[in-house]
Amino acid sequence: MDTIDDLFGKNEAIAASLAPRHLSVEPSGGLAIVTCMDSRLDVFAALGLGDGEAHVLRNAGGVITDDVIRSLAISQRLLGTREVMLIHHTDCGMLKLTDDGFRAELQADTGVSPAFAIESFTDLDADVRQSVLRVRRSEFLPHRDAVRGFVYDVDTHRLREVEA
Ligand SMILES: [Zn+2]
């Protein structure tokens, strides 16, 4: 049995054990979180968040791409969030590759150099600061005063704020 079959089966038991409920589509905490896809970072558990409290946007590295800005614009303009929390983390996969190296690898394997930016980084704190700046400078977002950046330690579970 593959992992998806396994999870699909688990959901049936989990759903059967929970009472139905309906939460608002607008996050009750007024918060959007942008973070990495890393499997060791359980955002809800690490922050004590519950269902319905925050939007969580994830990609490789927690990078502020155009698509993340698209989601934040919808989050703020349609769904009432005002604060943005950016979380990078220790031992990130994006520290282990280079833009040029990964691009060359993709091109060598497929013959095509991708149109997208790879967005690797070498300095966690510097990249958090850059990400905060990208959000603060996006005119598509009406709320840019409460944008803060953090680094999560995947071994100690501890969050550290990066001064902008
Ligand atoms: Zn990562």
Side-chain angles (χ1 to χ4, degrees):
M1 185 186 278
D2 63 24
T3 303
I4 294 174
D5 280 336
D6 184 33
L7 298 181
F8 190 38
K10 283 181 183 172
N11 170 260
E12 194 168 313
I14 291 167
S17 74
L18 296 172
R21 54 96 202 268
H22 182 75
L23 302 173
S24 170
V25 66
E26 296 186 358
S28 62
L31 171 69
I33 299 167
V34 183
T35 190
C36 185
M37 65 186 187
D38 194 278
S39 64
R40 298 162 294 181
L41 173 44
D42 181 338
V43 178
F44 285 82
L47 302 176
L49 275 172
D51 292 350
E53 291 186 37
H55 284 146
V56 180
L57 316 178
R58 306 189 75 156
N59 62 28
V63 174
I64 306 301
T65 61
D66 283 349
D67 191 61
V68 167
I69 295 294
R70 178 188 72 91
S71 293
L72 288 176
I74 292 165
S75 177
Q76 292 196 350
R77 290 175 179 272
L78 274 69
L79 297 168
T81 67
R82 298 185 65 93
E83 293 182 67
V84 182
M85 184 177 194
L86 310 181
I87 306 175
H88 283 26
H89 66 92
T90 58
D91 197 37
C92 186
M94 298 302 285
L95 294 161
K96 304 173 198 302
L97 53 84
T98 65
D99 284 31
D100 288 349
F102 192 62
R103 180 175 297 283
E105 194 178 314
L106 291 174
Q107 188 167 5
D109 281 354
T110 67
V112 180
S113 177
F116 51 80
I118 309 299
E119 302 266 22
S120 65
F121 43 82
T122 56
D123 181 328
L124 273 176
D125 285 34
D127 201 71
V128 168
R129 282 191 286 271
Q130 273 299 308
S131 299
V132 167
L133 270 182
R134 277 193 189 171
V135 175
R136 286 199 179 139
R137 296 217 181 147
S138 175
E139 58 193 304
F140 299 119
L141 307 178
H143 308 295
R144 289 175 281 168
D145 51 328
V147 186
R148 292 165 64 182
F150 298 82
V151 171
Y152 177 79
D153 187 315
V154 295
D155 295 325
T156 67
H157 317 281
R158 199 170 296 278
L159 206 58
R160 171 175 63 77
E161 183 156 17
V162 175
E163 295 304 321

